Every structure is written in C-alpha cells, then in structure tokens.
Amino acid sequence: MPTHDDVDGFLTATLIGDDPILDAALAAQREAGLPAIEVSPVSAKLLHLLARISGARRVLEIGTLAGYSTIWLARALPDGGRVVTIEAEESNAAIARANLERAGVADRVDIRVGRGTDVLPTLAGEEPFDLVFVDADKESNPAYLDWAARLGRPGTVVVLDNVVRAGAVADPPPGDTKVAGARAGVVMLGEDPRFDATALQTLDRKGWDGLAIAILTDVVASGTHPDHMDGDRGH
Ligand code: DHB
Ligand code: MG
C-alpha cells in the first residue's frame, strides 16, 4: 500500500526532478541547524507557477528562512523582476544570502532583516506587489494579510502557508497561538472583502497542512492606505 510519502516522492521526482542548487540550499539550511519547515518541492513549484501564471514582476515574501521558496520565486521572475523577502533572524538571512548567491538570483532578491510588522510599513511607498507569500510567525497572519492587501493591488495573488496545522485549524486547542493565528488568517480571508480565497490541504514530509490562495479584489483600490487613496498607482 503506497503511503503519501511515496506519492510525494513520485510527484517530486516526476514533475521536478533533481536540482543540485536547491539541494545545496537545503543542505546549508540543515547544516546551520535551521528547522526543516521550508515548503515542500511541489508546493514551492506551485508558488513558482502562480508567479508565472500571474505574470508577477514584484513578489513579496514574509518569512525567508534559508531562502528555499525565495529561490523558486526568484526563478519565476522576468528580467527586471524583484523579490523582497523579510526575515526576522539575521543568522537565517545570512544563510539565505549565501543560498541566493549560489543560485545566481541574489541580484533580483532584496532581503530585509526585521520583524514583518516593522519592515512592512517601510515598503508602503513602493510599487504594488503582484504576488505575496506569507510564511512567517503564524500569530501575525492577520497583520500580514492586512499588509498584503495594502501593498498589493486588485488582482494581486496572496498565498498563506500552514493554514491546516494537522487539522487543528478546525478545532483549535485552547492556548495554541500558532493555530489561533492560522485560523484567524483563514477567517479573515473568508470575511474581509479585500480577499477572494480558497485553500488546499497538503500531505507531505512535514505532515498534514495546507495553503490558502487568494486574489485581492477591487475593494483594495478604495482602501484606507494613502497610496491607494491618491489614485495614481496605475491599476
Ligand atoms: C512551522 C512553520 C512553518 O512555516 C511550516 O511550514 C511548518 C511549521 C512552525 O513554526 O511550526
Ligand atoms: Mg510554512
């Protein structure tokens, strides 16, 4: 009887195959003792394809870790495209920098070190992002989604990792702040008119989890952020 790991292995080998650069990035991540919580290869490729399908030029990632998903996103960009990725830990950012250099994408990635809620306001004057990937501390998911809406434009793709947490999202254990944050993020995607969203459950090496995928609606164009109010963003 095949297991979900067998299927994940088959899908990964068949659809993605060997990639020494990505293997080296993960080896460096493991070597540095960082947790093995990067997105799975098939999920990383989903992010990559969403960026290409949407024609994204400017990508925002919240939660760099060692840059595995960052490499996948950077590889999806056209010439002149940019990934801005936010990492709270300088030691993680250092590993990510080396991984991005080795992957040959460092020139198109801007790593900002700091807490997401500190760094995100500094991005407010820039061009809107076309795709936002949220994969950092789960407690801040609602705040990160709010920033995704402020820093995007109608049509921006928003992806939120870890929305299932082994099923706990459907029956949150009291006191688990990560599950509470994950659930609050999903509830916000359902209720906040700035988003139109769905979610997919995943089963991979990390276990049972899921990804939410959303698009920003026209409501963001009439939001309260100053950059949206002056109507000069060209969208
Ligand atoms: C955790 C964080 C992640 O981003 C993930 O994909 C899996 C687990 C965690 O902090 O537990
Ligand atoms: Mg994650």
Side-chain angles (χ1 to χ4, degrees):
M1 181 68 181
T3 65
H4 70 80
D5 278 340
D6 295 329
V7 175
D8 202 49
F10 164 71
L11 296 176
T12 302
T14 307
L15 301 173
I16 297 170
D18 289 332
D19 190 321
I21 299 257
L22 291 171
D23 290 346
L26 291 180
Q29 176 180 330
R30 310 281 189 258
E31 176 73 19
L34 300 191
I37 55 171
E38 76 285 349
V39 292
S40 73
V42 293
S43 292
K45 190 156 184 188
L46 174 64
L47 287 169
H48 170 93
L49 290 173
L50 286 169
R52 286 172 56 193
I53 290 164
S54 64
R57 300 181 60 83
R58 281 176 54 77
V59 170
L60 173 63
E61 178 178 64
I62 307 172
T64 314
L65 197 63
Y68 178 77
S69 49
T70 321
I71 294 170
W72 274 103
L73 288 165
R75 286 176 172 179
L77 298 179
D79 284 349
R82 199 129 196 95
V83 179
V84 176
T85 184
I86 301 173
E87 174 52 48
E89 301 291 335
E90 173 53 50
S91 53
N92 295 357
I95 307 296
R97 247 177 238 116
N99 283 338
L100 295 164
E101 290 280 355
R102 192 189 305 104
V105 296
D107 59 335
R108 57 176 70 185
V109 179
D110 186 0
I111 305 179
R112 307 279 177 101
V113 179
R115 305 281 315 164
T117 45
D118 293 329
V119 175
L120 287 160
T122 71
L123 303 176
E126 301 185 9
E127 257 186 278
F129 290 97
D130 306 307
L131 185 147
V132 182
F133 177 46
V134 180
D135 191 17
D137 64 297
K138 311 311 165 195
E139 288 82 353
S140 303
N141 276 358
Y144 295 151
L145 289 173
D146 183 58
W147 276 108
R150 290 164 179 259
L151 299 174
R153 40 105 186 141
T156 290
V157 177
V158 180
V159 181
L160 181 62
D161 197 25
N162 310 115
V163 297
V164 171
R165 301 213 55 110
V169 74
D171 187 11
D176 188 325
T177 58
K178 288 187 179 189
V179 173
R183 183 172 167 111
V186 177
V187 170
M188 181 169 170
L189 289 175
E191 291 180 347
D192 188 320
R194 295 176 297 175
F195 302 92
D196 201 9
T198 190
L200 297 171
Q201 301 188 54
T202 55
L203 194 51
D204 56 40
R205 181 186 49 70
K206 287 193 288 179
W208 180 20
D209 214 322
L211 288 165
I213 302 172
I215 190 166
L216 295 184
T217 68
D218 289 345
V219 174
V220 298
S222 55
T224 53
H225 194 272
D227 286 336
H228 293 289
M229 290 174 74
D230 57 17
D232 66 351
R233 306 191 93 188
H235 292 279

